[in-house]
Amino acid sequence: MREDTAGVLETESRAPMEDREEKERGVMAEQRGEEGESEATKENSTKGKEENGVDMKAEEEEEKQQKQQEEEDEEERGMSKQVEVTMEVSERVPGLTAGVIRGADLFGYVGIEAVLDQMRRKTMKAGFEFNIMVVGQSGLGKSTLVNTLFKSKVSRKSCTPNYEEKISKTVKLQSVSHVIEEKGVKMKLTVIDTPGFGDQINNENCWEPIVKYVNEQYEKYLKEELHVNRKRRIPDTRVHCCIYFLPATGHWLRPIDIEFMKRLGKIVSIVPVIAKADTLTIEERLEFKQRIRQDLAANGIRVYPQKEYDEDAEDRIVNDRIRESIPFAVVGTDKEHQVNGNKVLGRKTKWGIIEVENAAHCEFANLRDLLIRSHLQDLKDVTHNIHYETYRVRRLNESNMNFSELELSIRPLENGNGDKSESESHL
């Protein structure tokens, strides 16, 4: 019995031991299988990485560049925030400059942009002045061109009844003013004509009356400014632009042209034009314009727009295009003709119709855009800030010198000492 029970116990004890060994063997096999699979996947992944190594490197470089770009952007944002945001304390502390607060930094809508609408309404109510002078010998179409510019009878010849063309013996300046209104905007236009200029055999010093007239307008404005109780709005009669008409000779500038533009270019904005440019072929016109530009540069003549008055890169680009096309080859007329069913301003000849506003025929459109559509306000600003300011400084310096001389001459009389006056005058 003991032997039987012992055999039974041994078999029972062996059975669970065998089961455990089998389970352990199965677990070990599973672990080995998993290790084999992991090794296989690692080998496959390494092979894939080796195959796509170039792509991985490119991706890593792109990620590095993106991170660098993001870091640079964050630095720039931080710098811009430091510059743009300004505290009131900076105004009190010396050495600190005021920054700029952008729209993104504001808490809400302020309404600063409404200032433009306010300025527009005020300008439309009050209007503004524009004074233009035309200079050139008789027969170059000055009156016709002015009428064509403003599409109305604004020249002295057109608005004078029973006008007779007479050659004046001396240069006489005559002006005529009109109020032109377009879409609610009022402009007081003054056209100053110079009959007799360049029409004599001896044209020596024929520019002096014109220089005198321009300076008289500056003097008139200066006196109004110096009044104790001056007007809220000083009448502006200063010449904002001078259109100088060159005859279409096809050669070089004449001595009278050089002398006039040399003197007037220092006190007023001059825009030279080639009058009646339809008498030249396109090749002759290009050669003539090139010669004129060479003459202007050789003689140091300053015509509008000057390079030194360009405010920024955008203005420089626009003004460079204008400077390349100066002088403008223009044709003027106030008669309309039918071209392809449309009415156009033009001159009718045996060979066809010369369209004034067609850039392929002449450069009238460029002149009109310069004087009216793009640079009218700039012409007024240059007149006020450059030419008038130069005249004002010179006159005030002269008046200060005269006052100091007068003071020195009065002092000895007040003291009653002649010897002292001699010593003071000597000093």
Side-chain angles (χ1 to χ4, degrees), residues 108-135:
Y109 178 72
V110 178
I112 300 172
E113 62 178 0
V115 175
L116 296 175
D117 295 332
Q118 299 170 30
M119 294 170 66
R120 186 173 181 272
R121 284 196 299 270
K122 277 197 167 186
T123 304
M124 289 182 69
K125 286 181 182 178
F128 60 96
E129 299 98 346
F130 186 59
N131 308 318
I132 187 169
M133 176 184 283
V134 289
V135 181

Side-chain angles (χ1 to χ4, degrees), residues 57-71:
K57 289 180 180 178
E59 290 177 358
E60 288 177 359
E61 290 178 357
E62 288 179 359
E63 289 177 358
K64 288 181 180 178
Q65 291 178 358
Q66 289 178 357
K67 288 180 180 178
Q68 290 178 357
Q69 188 67 30
E70 289 175 357
E71 290 175 358

Side-chain angles (χ1 to χ4, degrees), residues 147 168 220 370 397:
N147 292 341
S168 177
K220 190 185 296 185
L370 173 69
N397 287 334

